[in-house]
Amino acid sequence: MNQYARLLIEAGPLAAFFIANSQAGIMIGTAVFMVAISISVLVSWRFERKVPVMPVVGAGFVLLFGGLTLWLQDDLFIKIKPTLVNLLFAAVLFAAHLTRRNVLKHVLGSVLNLSDAGWRTLAIRWAWFFLLLAVLNEVVWRTMSTDAWVNFKVFGIMPLTLLFSALQAPLILRHQVPEEPPVEKSSTSAS
C-alpha cells in the first residue's frame, strides 16, 4: 500500500470525527469516529493482511471510550482516551527500557534497521513524547471547550507527531545499520 493510501486510512477517521463534530456535536462525532476507525482497521487488514499494533490499540480505545461516551452520554470518556492511550504507550516504552527490551524495534524493525543504541534512544524519545502528548491532552480538555479540544486533537496532535517524527531523522541516519547484500552462491562447480 502506498504512503498516501496509508495516510488516508490512518487520518481518515480523525477527519471524519472532526467534520461530524463540527456539524452535529461530540456525540455524533464520536459515533462516526467509532465507525470510521473500524472501517480503517478492516481496510488496512484487507490490503496488507496484517494490522499494525498501534492502530489496533488505538481503535480498541476509541471503541471502548467512544462506547462509554455514547452509553453514558458523557464526553469525558472520549476526551480522556488520548491521555490514556499515550500514557499506555509511554509506560510500555519506559518499562521495556528498564527491562532492556526494545518494543519499538519489534514494532518498527521491518521498516528501520538501527543499531541497538539507536533503538534505545529512539524508544526513550518516543516514550517522553507520548508522555508530553498525554499532559497536553489533559491541559487542553480541562481548560478549553469541547470544540477547541477536537481542533487540538485534529490539528495539534497529528502535526506535533509528524514534526516529532521528522526531528528523529538525524538520529535514525546516525544509527542506521546498512543491510548486508545477499551472498551469491558460486555458479561454478568442481570437476
Side-chain angles (χ1 to χ4, degrees), residues 54 59 97 101-102 129 141 150 169:
M54 290 178 65
H97 182 73
R101 295 195 172 121
N102 201 314
F129 179 71
W141 83 259
V150 171

Side-chain angles (χ1 to χ4, degrees), residues 17 21 25-27 30 75-76 78-79 140-141 143-153:
F17 175 59
N21 177 73
I26 191 70
M27 295 301 163
T30 298
D75 64 4
L76 167 71
I78 200 67
K79 289 178 179 177
V140 171
W141 83 259
T143 62
M144 298 183 179
S145 70
T146 296
D147 286 341
W149 171 78
V150 171
N151 286 332
F152 167 74
K153 182 166 174 46

Side-chain angles (χ1 to χ4, degrees), residues 112-115 118 122 125-126 165 167-177:
L112 296 173
N113 191 15
L114 303 178
S115 67
L122 190 61
R125 285 182 181 184
W126 274 103
S165 296
L167 290 173
Q168 302 318 301
L171 170 80
I172 291 169
L173 292 174
R174 188 170 51 251
H175 288 281
Q176 198 165 18
V177 176

Side-chain angles (χ1 to χ4, degrees), residues 10-188:
E10 291 179 9
L14 201 53
F17 175 59
F18 172 76
I19 293 166
N21 177 73
S22 68
Q23 299 298 310
I26 191 70
M27 295 301 163
I28 298 297
T30 298
V32 167
F33 194 22
M34 292 170 65
V35 170
I37 204 156
S38 298
I39 291 169
S40 170
V41 168
L42 290 172
V43 168
S44 181
W45 177 80
R46 168 74 171 89
F47 284 107
E48 296 185 0
R49 290 293 176 203
K50 67 178 178 125
V51 181
V53 173
M54 290 178 65
V56 168
V57 171
F61 272 87
V62 167
L63 295 175
L64 174 65
F65 286 91
L68 288 170
T69 296
L70 297 177
W71 183 40
L72 300 172
Q73 291 294 295
D74 187 349
D75 64 4
L76 167 71
F77 297 101
I78 200 67
K79 289 178 179 177
I80 64 171
K81 190 248 353 148
T83 299
L84 296 175
V85 168
N86 286 310
L87 286 176
L88 173 68
F89 290 154
V92 166
L93 290 172
F94 280 129
H97 182 73
L98 291 174
T99 60
R100 303 214 184 280
R101 295 195 172 121
N102 201 314
V103 175
L104 202 58
K105 182 178 182 178
H106 178 69
V107 172
L108 297 175
S110 64
V111 179
L112 296 173
N113 191 15
L114 303 178
S115 67
D116 286 341
W119 281 117
R120 281 191 302 275
T121 303
L122 190 61
I124 205 73
R125 285 182 181 184
W126 274 103
W128 283 110
F129 179 71
F130 286 132
L131 193 59
L132 172 69
L133 288 180
V135 169
L136 284 174
N137 187 67
E138 283 298 299
V139 169
V140 171
W141 83 259
R142 290 173 184 272
T143 62
M144 298 183 179
S145 70
T146 296
D147 286 341
W149 171 78
V150 171
N151 286 332
F152 167 74
K153 182 166 174 46
V154 175
F155 300 112
I157 291 177
M158 181 71 75
L160 283 173
T161 302
L162 293 173
L163 176 63
F164 180 78
S165 296
L167 290 173
Q168 302 318 301
L171 170 80
I172 291 169
L173 292 174
R174 188 170 51 251
H175 288 281
Q176 198 165 18
V177 176
E179 291 190 31
E180 295 182 24
V183 178
E184 291 186 31
K185 293 183 178 182
S186 176
S187 59
T188 60

